[in-house]
Each structure stands twice: as C-alpha cells, then as structure tokens.
Amino acid sequence: MERNASNLGVVEVDLTVWRQSNSGSAFPFRRAPTLFNIFNHPNFGPPTNYLTSPLFGQSTQMLGASLGSGGQNGGLNPLYQIGGPRSAQLALKLVF
C-alpha cells in the first residue's frame, strides 16, 4: 500500500430501470425499481493500523459498517452507505 493511500478499491454497481404507464388516465405514473450493489461484491473497510495488534494490516469489518452505524454514533445505516450489502427499493411517482 502506498503512503497516504485513500483509495480503498470500492467496487459497486447499481441499476435502475423505470417505466411510465399512461393507461388512459389523466395522471400517468412511473415505476422505478432500483438495485444497489447488484453483484454483491465485498468491499472491506480500512485495515487495522495498530502495530501491536495481532490483526495488524487486516480488515475486520465491511466498508459500510466502518463508516458509522447511524443513530447516536453518527453516519448512515450501513445498508444505505457505499460498500453495503445488496439491497433493492421500489419508487412510484405520480406525474401530474
């Protein structure tokens, strides 16, 4: 690892496909399912940097968990951060 390296090698592919339905009504709506981290590629957090630790140089948690756990500890829930596990959401939008 180079000195002062900040690139953790994060790989994450997200996919969104939307479709608009008119169905003869005055208010069409749009459906948009979104998949995050579709290949479920593991993104490890920064390695342990204590020289006296037996885990020195090894990652002990995933990147999404190492950025904060949300709540009083700060940060977002690991599910919604970069490097989190595969997840999906569905959006419905009424166009008027």
Side-chain angles (χ1 to χ4, degrees):
M1 180 183 281
E2 15 179 297
R3 182 183 166 126
N4 298 328
S6 61
N7 184 359
L8 297 174
V10 175
V11 175
E12 185 168 308
V13 179
D14 302 332
L15 175 70
T16 300
V17 178
W18 62 270
R19 180 178 176 116
Q20 186 163 328
S21 300
N22 293 331
S23 67
S25 69
F27 301 110
F29 67 94
R30 182 179 294 172
R31 298 180 306 263
T34 304
L35 300 170
F36 299 100
N37 198 8
I38 60 174
F39 298 123
N40 208 22
H41 185 276
N43 294 299
F44 299 103
T48 304
N49 58 359
Y50 298 110
L51 288 173
T52 58
S53 173
L55 298 173
F56 176 73
Q58 298 179 14
S59 294
T60 58
Q61 56 187 345
M62 302 306 287
L63 181 61
S66 70
L67 297 174
S69 60
Q72 294 179 352
N73 298 329
L76 295 172
N77 182 318
L79 180 64
Y80 302 114
Q81 292 186 19
I82 187 167
R86 181 185 308 140
S87 59
Q89 72 179 19
L90 176 64
L92 298 174
K93 179 178 181 181
L94 181 64
V95 182
F96 60 94

